[in-house]
Amino acid sequence: MRESTLSLKERQRQQREQLILHASEEILLEKGYHEMCMDEVAARVGIAKGTLYLHFSRKEDLVLALLELQMQAILLNVQEAVSAPGSVRSRLETLLATSYMRLKGEHGRLFYALFGAVELRPLLRSRHHALLDQLLSSLEVLLNEGKASGEFDPAIPTTIMLHTFSSLLASYPFKRLLLEETVTPEELVQYVGKIFFRGVANPQRAYVESLA
């Protein structure tokens, strides 16, 4: 009986936390990080401020939890790409497409609203360092696979490829282009893909294919 009661309490706690995170997203999108306050989050969820502090002791912890959810979603996409069939290029293009669709939506707006808060950056580095390492490690696996298969130029250091590609996944100027509808996500994948994949293409393979 006691175990069942604890299980119910835990479910209620998790549901309440989801409501808190959802309300926080709404406020962040409406007002931005600096105008967001814990009082409004509690009021929108319909709970006492003390109850809110049982879940998140300060505003920074709350928004970092939101960022962690965003980063976990990106990491899952990358890990799925590692195990998916097809060429490395096609899998990386899928990652770009997923990323640019996210940038155009509310999640992209939220992501950049939080990354734009300068005071959060030291906390981001300390709290989400492990997640970022996992993300980069998974991308590195894909890029090395591309080298091994002959798709990518083995003379280019993987580290250079890695940081170049990761910067393309979440570029702030791309977000502006998408929100202003200068380009569609599909067009952006096509243009960015040409720039990146032509640059890292294996020159020997490209030469052989040109003779075919």
Side-chain angles (χ1 to χ4, degrees):
M1 180 70 176
R2 187 167 184 271
E3 182 179 347
S4 176
T5 303
L6 288 174
S7 178
L8 175 61
K9 286 182 177 179
E10 176 60 20
R11 288 200 301 272
Q12 290 174 334
R13 187 196 69 78
Q14 292 178 356
Q15 289 170 356
R16 187 164 55 244
E17 187 164 296
Q18 288 303 310
L19 289 172
I20 291 169
L21 292 171
H22 180 70
S24 302
E25 278 192 24
E26 290 180 340
I27 296 168
L28 281 165
L29 289 171
E30 292 169 10
K31 300 184 174 183
Y33 171 74
H34 295 102
E35 297 301 319
M36 173 186 169
C37 68
M38 297 292 270
D39 286 337
E40 185 172 359
V41 174
R44 194 167 294 200
V45 178
I47 58 176
K49 191 174 178 181
T51 303
L52 174 59
Y53 282 127
L54 290 175
H55 291 268
F56 302 99
S57 60
R58 54 182 184 158
K59 181 171 77 169
E60 290 84 357
D61 292 330
L62 178 50
V63 296
L64 286 171
L66 287 171
L67 266 176
E68 184 170 346
L69 291 174
Q70 296 288 315
M71 293 180 68
Q72 285 174 341
I74 296 170
L75 176 60
L76 179 61
N77 292 149
V78 174
Q79 290 174 335
E80 288 174 345
V82 170
S83 58
S87 67
V88 174
R89 173 171 178 164
S90 68
R91 284 178 277 166
L92 291 175
E93 286 175 333
T94 299
L95 283 177
L96 289 174
T98 303
S99 177
Y100 296 156
M101 288 300 295
R102 183 183 287 112
L103 286 179
K104 190 173 182 180
E106 287 192 350
H107 288 295
R109 288 170 54 208
L110 175 67
F111 196 73
Y112 279 101
L114 297 180
F115 265 101
V118 176
E119 59 269 40
L120 286 176
R121 290 174 188 172
L123 294 172
L124 285 170
R125 285 192 290 269
S126 61
R127 285 276 293 271
H128 296 144
H129 185 74
L131 267 176
L132 184 59
D133 280 350
Q134 289 181 60
L135 176 65
L136 293 176
S137 294
S138 296
L139 283 174
E140 187 174 14
V141 169
L142 269 175
L143 294 169
N144 281 328
E145 183 184 337
K147 283 185 170 184
S149 68
E151 288 183 65
F152 300 156
D153 189 347
I156 301 175
T158 303
T159 302
I160 302 299
M161 287 189 192
L162 175 63
H163 286 83
T164 302
F165 186 80
S166 61
S167 70
L168 298 176
L169 281 177
S171 170
Y172 188 81
F174 291 163
K175 170 184 175 286
R176 292 189 60 184
L177 288 174
L178 291 167
L179 291 179
E180 293 170 2
E181 298 187 345
T182 304
V183 294
T184 66
E186 294 79 11
E187 289 171 336
L188 191 54
V189 171
Q190 180 184 356
Y191 299 143
V192 170
K194 282 184 178 180
I195 294 169
F196 178 78
F197 294 113
R198 285 181 180 176
V200 301
N202 187 331
Q204 292 184 346
R205 182 167 177 172
Y207 176 73
V208 171
E209 289 176 351
S210 71
L211 297 178

